[in-house]
Amino acid sequence: MRDTSCKTGYRRNKLITLSIMLIALLLLGGCSAEREEPPQAPVVQPVILEYWTPFSGGDNIFMTGLVEQFNKEHQDIRVDQINSRLDDYYSRLRTAILSGNAPDLAVIHATNLPQFVQNGYIESLDGLAAETGLDWGQFSTKIAESTVYGGAHYAVPLDTHTLVLYYNKKYLRAAGLLDTADKPVIGRGEQGFTAFLQKLKQSVPPGVAPLALPSTRIDSVWLWWSLYNQIEGGGVFYNPDGTQAVFNNKASLQALEFVNSLYQRELIPPGINDAFKLFYDGEAAVLITGVWGTGAFEKAEKLELGVVPVPVIYDHPAVWGDSIRWRFRPKVR
């Protein structure tokens, strides 16, 4: 019988030696790789700001562009814009504040700001403005004053938006209602504006609105308020003490009856749900709405766009307008 014990032992020793060498090489390789790797910079998480807006038309195009530009230029801050329909925007915002889930930054119209201040939903911004060096003097005096309650600022002005008259040059040109500068030819007073729309109604194809205003929403009230303020002695809503409504007067009724006559004569067709879309799609000759529609209308392929101020139908220029405010730091409840 052959003795294999020495060879077996030798082989075992050889295998053990190879195993030790392989483990050593792996360990050395690992150590070597770790020494060669450059130190990694700590990952910096950006500050995330939740930003609520009620924009839906051309204004949303511009605001989204501003947010995207800001995010590109500030790697340490990211603004998450959340857009909601204006119809339920303020109810959602109030609910969020009361439940402790308020956004970091929100848009509030100047006409809605008082209720947020009076109900204690938001805090003054004067302290934060002083810390950041915000100069209130850079804003128009009247616009800046609309953010002040009890001597304190509660928001930062963003814009002022008014009603304007948009028109499709194609329809006005066909009706002979454009001058050499492509501006609408509109006569003076109620009769002049009515005659302008009647001529459009006779000229436009069937189904095209001479003037588009929705049958619902607040647009007709905005038009009434504009015309009421154009009348000498009009534009008054409350008495000097703010204790009694006084708009039940001759000037108010005159403006209201004129707006109503545009509906009755179907110069504003009945049953319009979305006047904005109607004009955008080339199915209306004239639209009275806010300047916020401009960005969207400029991109409409079926629209040869023109825009002018709302005509002066009565004694002097006046038009409804509102303002947007940036509102920081909802009050912690």
Side-chain angles (χ1 to χ4, degrees), residues 225-236 249-255 312-318:
W225 180 247
S226 301
L227 301 182
Y228 176 36
N229 278 267
Q230 289 185 4
I231 300 173
E232 192 67 37
V236 181
N249 55 56
K250 182 178 179 180
S252 173
L253 182 60
Q254 181 181 359
V312 181
I313 294 175
Y314 296 111
D315 303 317
H316 50 252

Side-chain angles (χ1 to χ4, degrees), residues 33 71 130 201 210 214 216 249 292 295 318 328:
N71 286 340
K201 183 178 180 180
T216 57
N249 55 56
W292 55 80
F328 298 83

Side-chain angles (χ1 to χ4, degrees), residues 160-199:
T160 295
H161 49 267
T162 62
L163 296 184
V164 292
L165 186 145
Y166 294 101
Y167 59 97
N168 191 328
K169 295 179 183 179
K170 178 179 69 173
Y171 295 132
L172 270 66
R173 186 180 298 114
L177 292 170
L178 285 183
D179 63 16
T180 55
D182 277 351
K183 301 297 182 182
V185 178
I186 303 174
R188 296 177 61 85
E190 293 181 1
Q191 291 183 346
F193 190 65
T194 300
F196 166 77
L197 294 179
Q198 286 175 330
K199 195 169 183 179

Side-chain angles (χ1 to χ4, degrees), residues 99-117:
S99 63
N101 297 309
D104 303 291
L105 175 62
V107 161
I108 298 180
H109 290 80
T111 48
N112 285 273
L113 189 59
Q115 62 177 291
F116 284 84
V117 176

